[in-house]
Amino acid sequence: MKDLTENVLSLTRLKNADYADLRVVRRRWEEILVKNGNIEAVTHDEDFGFGVRVLFQGAWGFACSSKVNKKEVERTFDRAWKISREGSRIQGKRPFFPPASPVVARYQTPFSIHPLQVSMEEKLKYLLEAERTIARNRRVNISEAFM
């Protein structure tokens, strides 16, 4: 990742952009659906990708991709830079960014119990219980619960 970030910084200087950043995102999730007392769907998924923001002469450009490699980072940077370049032609006042050192950071959503480490049996138990509570209402014809 450090090489890809340094590549974006080099491209930023080469294209005379005022600012650029690269944000890498990895998301994992699970979805469970129960309907009328039956398990309808259980999905585990993950995505991984990145986004590039470029500021050129007062205009922002954004682009992203799910292919994380040097060539794709260059292509994505170029798309964001072209968007910002075209926008700069109609942009008014140019913002000022004082010089600053690059920042590398990581964020993870806080949790007490990692949701992907809770057993499927326990999740289904609570979800089916919630769905049964919905179904007890006589005015409900179809009951669904999901998480």
Side-chain angles (χ1 to χ4, degrees):
M1 284 296 127
K2 188 174 181 177
D3 291 345
L4 296 179
T5 304
E6 288 174 359
N7 193 28
V8 165
L9 294 175
S10 296
L11 291 167
T12 303
R13 287 187 285 279
L14 183 68
K15 299 281 191 176
N16 292 319
D18 300 308
Y19 172 88
D21 67 34
L22 172 78
R23 182 171 300 179
V24 179
V25 177
R26 176 183 176 221
R27 296 183 309 157
R28 295 186 309 161
W29 68 91
E30 179 179 77
E31 295 175 337
I32 305 168
L33 169 67
V34 295
K35 180 176 178 180
N36 296 329
N38 297 308
I39 301 166
E40 294 284 316
V42 176
T43 306
H44 301 273
D45 214 342
E46 179 174 350
D47 60 25
F48 184 63
F50 69 96
V52 176
R53 294 187 298 181
V54 177
L55 179 65
F56 180 73
Q57 296 181 356
W60 287 100
F62 304 92
C64 61
S65 177
S66 60
K67 298 175 188 170
V68 183
N69 60 58
K70 183 180 178 189
K71 188 174 181 178
E72 187 66 11
V73 166
E74 290 172 359
R75 238 190 332 260
T76 304
F77 175 90
D78 196 50
R79 282 195 315 267
W81 182 77
K82 285 177 180 175
I83 292 167
S84 65
R85 185 190 64 200
E86 292 303 313
S88 72
R89 295 175 188 206
I90 58 170
Q91 181 66 28
K93 187 177 177 183
R94 191 173 173 177
F96 171 72
F97 283 97
S101 299
V103 174
V104 177
R106 176 184 163 99
Y107 176 81
Q108 181 171 317
T109 303
F111 50 80
S112 300
I113 299 170
H114 194 297
L116 297 178
Q117 292 176 346
V118 176
S119 73
M120 181 58 66
E121 292 76 21
E122 188 171 357
K123 291 175 188 175
L124 284 170
K125 177 183 118 181
Y126 289 119
L127 194 57
L128 286 166
E129 183 180 312
E131 187 269 337
R132 278 193 299 273
T133 301
I134 297 167
R136 281 198 291 261
N137 185 323
R138 293 179 186 197
R139 294 182 295 170
V140 172
N141 294 323
I142 298 172
S143 58
E144 280 186 347
F146 66 92
M147 62 186 302

